[in-house]
C-alpha cells in the first residue's frame, strides 16, 4: 500500500476494501488480494446498499462512484456487460466543491462537502436520488464521522455537530 497517500478501508460484501489515490481500489477476501483497475482512484470507500461507494475521487472531485451491484468489482459502464455501476454528481458537475466523504447513515447515505451536506436516497439505479440537507454545514474531516443511536455525529465547519434524519442539526460543542 502507498506510503504517500492515506489509505481508507471498509468491510462488506464478503471482503475488506482498501483505497487510496495512488494505488486505487483493492479488496481482500482472506485468501487473495484483488485489484480493481477499472475503478477510479479515490480517497474514501464505503459499503452501501450492496455496492461499493467511492468518494474523494482524484479526477471527479464532486462525484460519487457506485460499483455495480453484488460483489463491488464492476465499474464497466457498458450496459451489455455490466451490473449497473453509476456516477452521481453532488451539487453539479465538478462544481469546485470536493466530496470529502460518504457515510452510510440511518436509512440514507450522507455526503459531506466542506460547507454542505447531502443525502443519497433509494435502493438501486432506478430510484437513487440526491437531496441537499443543508447548504451551510459540512465537514472536511472524514475520520470524525460516527453513528450513535439515531444520530450521526461529526466534526463540522462550525464545531461538533449531531445530525438526526431527516433535517435536524444539533450543535454539541465548539
Amino acid at each position: 500500500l502507498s506510503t504517500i497517500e492515506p489509505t481508507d478501508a471498509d468491510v462488506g460484501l464478503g471482503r475488506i476494501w482498501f483505497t487510496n489515490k495512488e494505488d486505487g481500489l483493492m479488496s481482500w477476501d482472506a485468501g487473495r488480494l484483488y485489484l480493481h483497475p477499472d475503478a477510479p482512484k479515490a480517497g474514501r470507500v464505503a459499503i452501501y446498499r450492496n455496492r461499493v461507494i467511492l468518494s474523494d475521487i482524484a479526477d471527479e472531485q464532486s462525484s460519487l462512484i457506485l460499483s455495480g451491484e453484488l460483489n463491488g468489482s464492476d465499474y464497466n459502464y457498458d450496459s451489455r456487460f455490466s451490473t449497473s455501476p453509476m456516477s452521481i454528481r453532488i451539487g453539479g458537475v465538478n462544481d469546485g466543491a470536493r466530496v470529502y466523504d460518504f457515510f452510510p447513515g440511518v436509512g440514507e447515505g450522507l455526503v459531506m462537502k466542506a460547507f454542505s451536506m447531502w443525502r443519497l436516497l433509494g435502493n438501486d439505479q432506478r430510484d437513487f436520488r440526491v437531496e441537499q440537507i443543508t447548504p451551510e454545514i459540512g465537514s472536511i474531516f472524514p475520520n470524525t464521522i460516527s453513528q450513535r443511536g439515531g444520530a450521526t455525529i461529526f466534526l463540522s465547519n462550525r464545531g461538533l455537530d449531531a445530525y438526526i434524519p431527516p433535517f435536524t442539526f444539533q450543535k454539541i460543542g465548539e
Side-chain angles (χ1 to χ4, degrees):
L1 294 175
S2 175
T3 58
I4 300 168
E5 287 288 330
T7 298
D8 188 38
D10 200 2
V11 177
L13 306 176
R15 298 181 184 179
I16 300 174
W17 298 85
F18 305 93
T19 190
N20 63 54
K21 291 182 181 178
E22 184 179 342
D23 301 318
L25 184 65
M26 299 163 278
S27 62
W28 183 68
D29 67 359
R32 181 175 167 210
L33 181 69
Y34 299 89
L35 304 178
H36 303 280
D38 292 339
K41 294 186 189 294
R44 305 291 295 168
V45 62
I47 309 301
Y48 181 73
R49 302 275 194 240
N50 214 24
R51 295 175 185 261
V52 174
I53 312 288
L54 299 174
S55 59
D56 190 10
I57 300 163
D59 296 334
E60 299 179 55
Q61 66 179 359
S62 60
S63 297
L64 293 177
I65 303 293
L66 288 71
S67 73
E69 290 186 278
L70 305 177
N71 67 3
S73 63
D74 182 11
Y75 293 90
N76 181 351
Y77 291 101
D78 186 338
S79 62
R80 297 173 298 165
F81 310 107
S82 165
T83 59
S84 67
M86 300 176 62
S87 176
I88 298 176
R89 309 297 187 248
I90 308 297
V93 176
N94 211 8
D95 67 351
R98 171 178 156 196
V99 171
Y100 282 91
D101 199 9
F102 175 87
F103 185 81
V106 178
E108 60 191 8
L110 302 176
V111 182
M112 301 286 192
K113 288 188 164 190
F115 296 102
S116 64
M117 193 167 157
W118 305 71
R119 65 188 189 159
L120 177 64
L121 300 166
N123 294 305
D124 64 18
Q125 188 177 28
R126 294 171 299 194
D127 68 349
F128 276 135
R129 68 186 185 282
V130 175
E131 295 178 357
Q132 188 173 41
I133 298 170
T134 175
E136 299 169 355
I137 301 170
S139 180
I140 61 169
F141 307 103
N143 293 326
T144 67
I145 305 167
S146 70
Q147 200 81 44
R148 296 288 180 253
T152 302
I153 299 169
F154 62 100
L155 186 58
S156 75
N157 55 316
R158 65 181 196 164
L160 192 60
D161 268 294
Y163 164 70
I164 299 116
F167 298 107
T168 305
F169 286 89
Q170 181 178 2
K171 189 171 180 181
I172 298 173
E174 296 297 320

